Amino acid sequence: MSKIAIFASGTGSNAIHIMDHFRNHTHTEIPLLVSNNPSAPVINKARSRDKEVYLINRESFYQTEDCLAVLQEKKIDLIVLAGFMWLIPEYLVRAYSNRMVNIHPALLPAYGGKGMYGMNVHKAVIANREMVSGITIHYVNEEYDRGEIIFQARCKIESHDTPESLSEKVQKLEHAYYATVIENLKN
Ligand code: GRF
């Protein structure tokens, strides 16, 4: 059985889609959610699905390797970032090299990097009058949004689209593809 830990900081719509996708799966289970935000809605949603929740704080995450110890103790094979807002420290990137993935709500390498998250991304895309946007699923390295790209999907932007309507289109793509792309990764 391969084991996934999901890292999420907020609403967790992707985290929950992925958990539900792998419910009763023959090869993969998701025993653990890691979060830096004790009041994130994703926490109760994960607990109601019988997931263990491991809460981190800045000090433990950046100055100790406690999180890695928890992941190793639980024999986690793959880390899935789903709206996790903190940069991953080097010790974790090294330990999970090619075994950690993220989803970004735009077509990287465009609209990535520091400050490019949530509605900031969609506002920038609309302000630049782009005609397409989409999602990027990629491996994680030490820099924001710069790891090897695994998968992209696109959506058209119409002249009447707003950052809000674009975010809905992009979220639909995220929910349609993230779990299956994870399922097809070779671990
Ligand atoms: C998604 O848009 C994802 O691309 C980005 O963070 C957002 C998380 O949304 N990395 P949710 O919490 O899964 O709803």
Side-chain angles (χ1 to χ4, degrees), residues 104-107 110-112 116 118-134 155-157 161-163 166 170:
H104 186 78
L107 296 172
Y111 302 102
M116 277 293 154
M119 289 306 284
N120 293 353
V121 176
H122 305 304
K123 281 181 189 157
V125 170
I126 294 287
N128 285 344
R129 301 179 181 278
E130 300 284 358
M131 296 173 78
V132 286
S133 190
C155 57
K156 264 172 94 172
I157 302 175
D161 269 319
T162 61
L166 176 58
V170 167

Side-chain angles (χ1 to χ4, degrees), residues 47-59:
R47 287 204 174 114
S48 72
R49 287 166 173 76
D50 291 328
K51 309 299 177 189
E52 192 173 320
V53 174
Y54 178 64
L55 285 172
I56 52 172
N57 59 50
R58 272 195 186 277
E59 201 189 327

Side-chain angles (χ1 to χ4, degrees), residues 35-72:
S35 183
N36 60 299
N37 178 4
S39 53
V42 68
I43 290 179
N44 282 340
K45 295 177 193 166
R47 287 204 174 114
S48 72
R49 287 166 173 76
D50 291 328
K51 309 299 177 189
E52 192 173 320
V53 174
Y54 178 64
L55 285 172
I56 52 172
N57 59 50
R58 272 195 186 277
E59 201 189 327
S60 73
F61 197 49
Y62 291 108
Q63 282 161 36
T64 76
E65 296 193 4
D66 292 357
C67 183
L68 177 58
V70 169
L71 297 168
Q72 286 172 338

Side-chain angles (χ1 to χ4, degrees), residues 10-15 81-85 102-105 118 122 170-171 174-175:
T11 317
S13 70
N14 283 283
L81 308 183
F84 183 70
M85 302 302 286
N102 181 42
I103 189 163
H104 186 78
H122 305 304
V170 167
Q171 193 182 51
E174 295 183 333
H175 296 170

